[in-house]
Amino acid sequence: MSDSPGSAPAPTAAPASPAAPEPRPTTLRRLLAELRGPDVAPHPLDARALAALAANPGCGRRALLDGAGVDKTALAAALGSPAPFGQSQFAFMRGNAFEARVKADGGAELMRLLHERMGAGSPAPVPGEVRVPDLSAAGPQGRAARTALALREATGAAAGSAAWTLLVHPLLALEVAGSPAYLEPDAVVVCPDGRWTVVEIKSFPMIDSSADPSKVGAAARQAAVYVLALERVADLVSGARVDHSVLLVCPRDFSNLPTASVVDVRKQRSVTRRQLTRLTRIEDIAATLPEGTSFDLERCTPTELTAAVDAVTAAYAPECLAACELAFHCRGRARSAGAVEALGRGVRGELGGLTTVGAVLAAARGEGAPGAGAADDDDPTVLALRRAAALRAEALKSRPLEEGAVLKGAVLEGVVAGCR
């Protein structure tokens, strides 16, 4: 009788409540596919892109395009502002050859370097006895699940034994702004004591045991993303712990012989985790877009793509030029709008509520400026700007800034410097 149509219909809806959240990921995937183009394969989001995104969490434009899997290099070219940077084919081939050498013979050289630098208290790995599990599977979800299983098995095998495990190009999943990102470190080593250690292999040299600080810093920020993703897996594995120091392997001096250095990424990990949690969820950004917005490079005209990109808020800074493919487009837009962000975050911070070049010029001249960012006579920043402009004009033996003057970066830098 309980299965009859006329019996108590209300309780039948109760079991459906736990499954209610399920449609949202499907809806989000469909939305992102529509923004990218239904026939366009998603561009993978790697750790380098995530590190750059975490460094500028206020940029909704990059968050949405990366989450949707839009090829920003192709998009920048379609907008007429191609990014003139990237790895040369020679550097790419050299990097691949060096990585293959480090991982040759079952990773014997890599394991030797890791034990030498980070394996104190653990038995030395025996060549030929290091476990190298097969991580192949169908699709990114399958590979991520296979990686998680291999890490669990390796941790269990290491307990109470001298077993070392090398995972070559594992795939890790990390949720970013409500969308999954799949990350592929060069290698992860499971030590006999249960530690999981990220290995980063780079082709820039270490000369006299020292490498370019900027490149080491970029590698540390990238490795910190891998550490965060590994921690999600380690939370579900008994006895596992993720090492907050990573092994950076590079060519020694000017040879192709590998050497290694230990890099502590705790600071980068904390910063990246905090910044990623500050990211606006992708569905919230997409909800503000006009109906019909699309970044489909195959179907949209350059005018339509420009309108679509401009519909998403950006947070441009000169640092973007070294990290984002759309930086030159965003810089052009910032300059045409007279935004002070084009001169750097430091200048923007010094100017407080003055958000445009016109407002800064008006404040320095002692004039009012209409709209947002107008000068306030009682604002200490405005008073400092006027004093700095007067001192600069006196020093140059010229009149104060004239109406219609073209503001160069050096001019504003000089005025702002007087405020400090």
Side-chain angles (χ1 to χ4, degrees):
M1 293 296 291
S2 61
D3 294 334
S4 63
S7 61
T12 60
S17 57
E22 286 297 324
R24 191 182 74 175
T26 303
T27 304
L28 178 60
R29 284 196 295 268
R30 184 183 300 116
L31 172 62
L32 297 181
E34 291 174 355
L35 289 173
R36 181 179 65 249
D39 301 325
V40 180
H43 194 71
L45 182 61
D46 58 15
R48 184 175 301 175
L50 268 184
L53 180 59
N56 192 6
C59 186
R61 182 175 296 171
R62 174 151 197 165
L64 181 66
L65 293 175
D66 282 344
V70 177
D71 186 348
K72 297 195 299 298
T73 300
L75 178 60
L79 295 174
S81 303
F85 62 84
Q87 193 174 38
S88 68
Q89 188 66 21
F90 173 76
F92 184 75
M93 294 174 62
R94 183 176 182 272
N96 282 348
F98 177 70
E99 181 176 342
R101 177 167 188 164
V102 172
K103 295 178 179 178
D105 300 325
E109 184 65 13
L110 188 155
M111 300 302 295
R112 183 191 68 79
L113 289 171
L114 187 139
H115 182 264
E116 180 182 296
R117 300 292 196 277
M118 307 176 68
S122 298
V126 180
E129 295 185 9
V130 176
R131 299 172 67 250
V132 185
D134 181 13
L135 303 179
S136 59
Q141 295 91 344
R143 287 187 58 200
R146 182 68 188 91
T147 296
L149 178 60
L151 286 167
R152 186 179 299 109
E153 293 175 345
T155 304
S161 70
W164 291 79
T165 302
L166 171 64
L167 277 67
V168 178
H169 286 297
L171 199 66
L172 307 170
L174 182 66
E175 184 175 298
V176 180
S179 180
Y182 294 97
L183 314 171
E184 188 176 4
D186 293 326
V188 172
V189 175
V190 179
C191 304
D193 58 3
R195 283 182 299 131
W196 298 357
T197 304
V198 173
V199 178
E200 272 291 279
I201 303 174
K202 297 297 184 182
S203 59
F204 57 82
M206 285 188 185
I207 301 176
D208 293 334
S209 302
S210 179
D212 185 339
S214 63
K215 294 181 178 180
V216 173
R221 290 189 293 272
Q222 184 176 341
V225 178
Y226 297 138
V227 170
L228 283 175
L230 267 181
E231 288 177 338
R232 305 294 177 91
V233 183
D235 290 340
L236 305 175
V237 180
S238 176
R241 59 188 179 91
V242 181
D243 201 331
H244 292 160
S245 293
V246 303
L247 186 72
L248 178 62
V249 181
C250 298
R252 183 173 60 210
D253 298 328
F254 299 101
S255 70
N256 204 34
L257 300 175
T259 187
S261 176
V262 179
V263 180
D264 189 334
V265 298
R266 281 178 294 183
K267 178 180 178 180
Q268 291 83 352
R269 167 188 163 276
S270 298
V271 171
T272 302
R273 182 177 61 179
R274 182 173 65 251
Q275 300 292 58
L276 288 179
T277 56
R278 290 176 54 197
L279 288 174
T280 306
R281 295 184 68 85
I282 292 176
E283 55 261 46
D284 296 337
I285 301 173
T288 64
L289 299 178
E291 182 104 15
T293 299
S294 175
F295 304 98
D296 191 340
L297 299 173
E298 298 179 358
R299 300 183 182 182
C300 295
T301 64
T303 301
E304 292 171 334
L305 289 173
T306 300
V309 170
D310 291 345
V312 191
T313 58
Y316 171 76
E319 293 86 347
C320 297
L321 294 173
C324 183
E325 297 85 345
L326 286 177
F328 289 88
H329 173 81
C330 297
R331 182 181 66 175
R333 283 291 191 263
R335 286 178 172 177
S336 63
V340 296
E341 285 85 349
L343 299 175
R345 292 193 178 101
V347 174
R348 174 68 186 89
E350 293 281 357
L351 294 175
L354 301 174
T355 59
T356 65
V357 168
V360 174
L361 283 172
R365 288 192 295 258
E367 302 172 358
D376 182 355
D377 291 340
D378 297 327
D379 189 340
T381 301
V382 174
L383 298 177
L385 276 172
R386 291 175 183 171
R387 175 61 176 162
L391 290 174
R392 183 177 184 278
E394 181 180 350
L396 297 177
K397 296 182 180 180
S398 62
R399 293 177 297 174
L401 296 171
E402 298 178 354
E403 182 71 30
V406 178
L407 183 67
K408 303 286 186 183
V411 174
L412 186 54
E413 285 283 5
V415 174
V416 173
C419 302
R420 295 172 179 161

